Amino acid sequence: MQHRITVDCHPALGINRPEKELQKFQALHPMFSYQVEEVPESVAKALKAAKEIVIVGLGGSVLPLRALLDLHPRSQDLLYLDSVDPRRVEKVFNQLRDPLFCVVSKSGETLEIQILLAEILKRFGDNKILAVTDSKSGKLRALATEKKWLSLSIPSELGGRFTHFTVFHRALLENWGVSFEALLMRARSQIEELKNSSQSLELLKRMLFNEGVSHHIFWHYGQAREGMALWMQQVLAESLGKTRADGQRFGILPTVLEGPQAQHFVLQLLMDGPQNSALWFLEPSAVQKTESALERGLWVLAESTKQSFLERVPNPKLSQSVISSSLTSIEDAVDLIVLIQAFIEYLADDFNIPAFDQPGVERGKTIARELWSKSKK
């Protein structure tokens, strides 16, 4: 059941060693347990009753959700408050009639969340809040307890960018009639396959982190795949962009491109400029001629761009490694999420990288809170 990625690269990157000689993936991180509690009836009723569901959160609070949910047709019903840009906030607020604000933050300490929550309370009161936060501690957990808000827990042992399978995600999917248990069973099955064979993880390592690669390009076609591309960018940058214990700096800059728009402004550079990027296409599956012109057009443009790179694969001086993933369903999303989660642990073990913290991010948050306090005086 492992995610069926298609990989095209020069033969020199291939794996020639038997499985017993490869590093073994062990799935030691708590995220691989995939144990999720039941959704409280009060939360299920609130989600069903709301005319608009607004997700309030940033980065790791929201991207794992989008990576999982964006492939579902009902994902278009969700609204996101993921910025304090006044115009973007007003655009969301102007659409609301009877909203439920799902405020997602592990600690509640992020400045943007504090600003957005204050604005929501000022305009809509405090009876339209579902707090999704740390199960034991933190500012948002304390506030939810004090205000008696509806709440759901994020396990304390999980960092934000690895929270794909939480009770909040379960609540949203089950509100749409999706069997969350079936998705969990799929994830568990894939982990067992990866523990038995590290071949796909080793190949990804060679594709993405060989000496000739200095950029990762995640090129998604269609908004249904945007959340996955953005999460892949975040998880590789935030997990692997680190200074190791020996003082060596590690990491490769990942970039998200949106197709077909990006064909008109960066394709020329990627084709004829420096050959230093690994390209990963997230695309729709092949369409039938009975489907709409828009659907056929999106697939044709994705396929033609990918093929223009594949033509060059046999020549190692002109080619860049090309990976492609067909993403058309939530099941496809589950497969790819699990593969990337496993890859992070696999690479961190192999290269001795502290993949599960984010000290650079935390320092920026501390400075932001200090400046915010000074700005109010």
Side-chain angles (χ1 to χ4, degrees), residues 154-178:
I154 300 173
S156 298
E157 64 272 17
L158 296 188
R161 60 189 178 275
F162 300 109
T163 53
H164 296 86
F165 302 98
T166 70
V167 66
F168 177 50
H169 304 171
R170 179 178 202 148
L172 290 172
L173 285 169
E174 290 184 348
N175 187 47
W176 296 341
V178 175

Side-chain angles (χ1 to χ4, degrees), residues 134-253:
D134 190 278
S135 57
K136 298 175 182 176
S137 61
K139 181 173 289 188
L140 185 55
R141 172 56 60 194
L143 191 59
T145 301
E146 176 192 342
K147 299 287 188 180
K148 295 183 171 55
W149 289 339
L150 291 173
S151 69
L152 293 171
S153 294
I154 300 173
S156 298
E157 64 272 17
L158 296 188
R161 60 189 178 275
F162 300 109
T163 53
H164 296 86
F165 302 98
T166 70
V167 66
F168 177 50
H169 304 171
R170 179 178 202 148
L172 290 172
L173 285 169
E174 290 184 348
N175 187 47
W176 296 341
V178 175
S179 170
F180 199 72
E181 279 298 330
L183 298 182
L184 291 179
M185 288 178 62
R186 190 180 186 95
R188 295 185 194 111
S189 176
Q190 175 147 334
I191 284 299
E192 290 307 310
E193 289 189 33
L194 289 168
K195 287 165 68 176
N196 290 330
S197 173
S198 299
Q199 295 283 350
S200 57
L201 301 176
E202 181 68 20
L203 182 55
L204 281 183
K205 183 184 80 172
R206 297 185 183 207
M207 293 282 289
L208 297 175
F209 288 91
N210 72 69
E211 289 184 1
V213 173
S214 59
H215 294 82
H216 295 151
I217 306 293
F218 300 117
W219 202 327
H220 73 89
Y221 278 75
Q223 287 191 355
R225 297 155 197 90
E226 181 180 45
M228 180 68 76
L230 291 170
W231 171 69
M232 290 170 70
Q233 178 188 49
Q234 182 206 15
V235 76
L236 285 176
E238 203 163 80
S239 301
L240 303 177
K242 299 291 174 62
T243 300
R244 305 191 322 190
D246 60 6
Q248 180 181 349
R249 294 180 181 272
F250 185 89
I252 292 177
L253 178 65

Side-chain angles (χ1 to χ4, degrees), residues 100-373:
L100 178 66
F101 293 97
C102 304
V103 183
V104 187
S105 177
K106 190 82 182 295
S107 67
E109 297 286 347
T110 305
L111 179 58
E112 295 97 324
I113 292 297
Q114 295 181 31
I115 295 172
L116 289 170
L117 181 55
E119 196 68 21
I120 291 166
L121 295 176
K122 182 173 72 175
R123 299 196 191 198
F124 295 90
D126 64 358
N127 63 343
K128 301 288 186 181
I129 305 290
L130 167 62
V132 184
T133 188
D134 190 278
S135 57
K136 298 175 182 176
S137 61
K139 181 173 289 188
L140 185 55
R141 172 56 60 194
L143 191 59
T145 301
E146 176 192 342
K147 299 287 188 180
K148 295 183 171 55
W149 289 339
L150 291 173
S151 69
L152 293 171
S153 294
I154 300 173
S156 298
E157 64 272 17
L158 296 188
R161 60 189 178 275
F162 300 109
T163 53
H164 296 86
F165 302 98
T166 70
V167 66
F168 177 50
H169 304 171
R170 179 178 202 148
L172 290 172
L173 285 169
E174 290 184 348
N175 187 47
W176 296 341
V178 175
S179 170
F180 199 72
E181 279 298 330
L183 298 182
L184 291 179
M185 288 178 62
R186 190 180 186 95
R188 295 185 194 111
S189 176
Q190 175 147 334
I191 284 299
E192 290 307 310
E193 289 189 33
L194 289 168
K195 287 165 68 176
N196 290 330
S197 173
S198 299
Q199 295 283 350
S200 57
L201 301 176
E202 181 68 20
L203 182 55
L204 281 183
K205 183 184 80 172
R206 297 185 183 207
M207 293 282 289
L208 297 175
F209 288 91
N210 72 69
E211 289 184 1
V213 173
S214 59
H215 294 82
H216 295 151
I217 306 293
F218 300 117
W219 202 327
H220 73 89
Y221 278 75
Q223 287 191 355
R225 297 155 197 90
E226 181 180 45
M228 180 68 76
L230 291 170
W231 171 69
M232 290 170 70
Q233 178 188 49
Q234 182 206 15
V235 76
L236 285 176
E238 203 163 80
S239 301
L240 303 177
K242 299 291 174 62
T243 300
R244 305 191 322 190
D246 60 6
Q248 180 181 349
R249 294 180 181 272
F250 185 89
I252 292 177
L253 178 65
T255 300
V256 171
L257 296 180
E258 183 177 7
Q261 295 89 321
Q263 293 168 207
H264 299 281
F265 52 86
V266 297
L267 182 55
Q268 175 60 41
L269 171 66
L270 292 173
M271 289 293 292
D272 291 338
Q275 299 295 286
N276 58 357
S277 299
L279 296 115
W280 194 324
F281 288 91
L282 305 175
E283 57 186 348
S285 59
V287 296
Q288 305 299 318
K289 60 184 179 181
T290 54
E291 298 187 60
S292 73
L294 292 174
E295 292 169 321
R296 285 185 285 117
L298 187 65
W299 176 80
V300 165
L301 290 164
E303 187 65 16
S304 61
T305 303
K306 182 179 69 176
Q307 286 189 20
S308 69
F309 288 101
L310 294 181
E311 290 177 346
R312 302 145 64 86
V313 165
N315 185 341
K317 294 182 179 180
L318 294 176
S319 69
Q320 303 181 81
S321 298
V322 180
I323 308 171
S324 61
S325 296
S326 177
L327 288 175
T328 60
S329 68
I330 285 185
E331 288 75 18
D332 290 340
V334 168
D335 292 348
L336 186 52
I337 286 166
V338 172
L339 180 67
I340 298 298
Q341 287 178 333
F343 178 65
I344 294 298
E345 182 176 296
Y346 183 82
L347 199 71
D349 288 346
D350 194 24
F351 290 168
N352 193 26
I353 299 165
F356 302 107
D357 63 0
Q358 50 182 40
V361 175
E362 294 304 327
R363 180 56 185 149
K365 289 181 178 180
T366 298
I367 294 172
R369 288 192 292 268
E370 292 170 354
L371 291 174
W372 177 248
S373 297

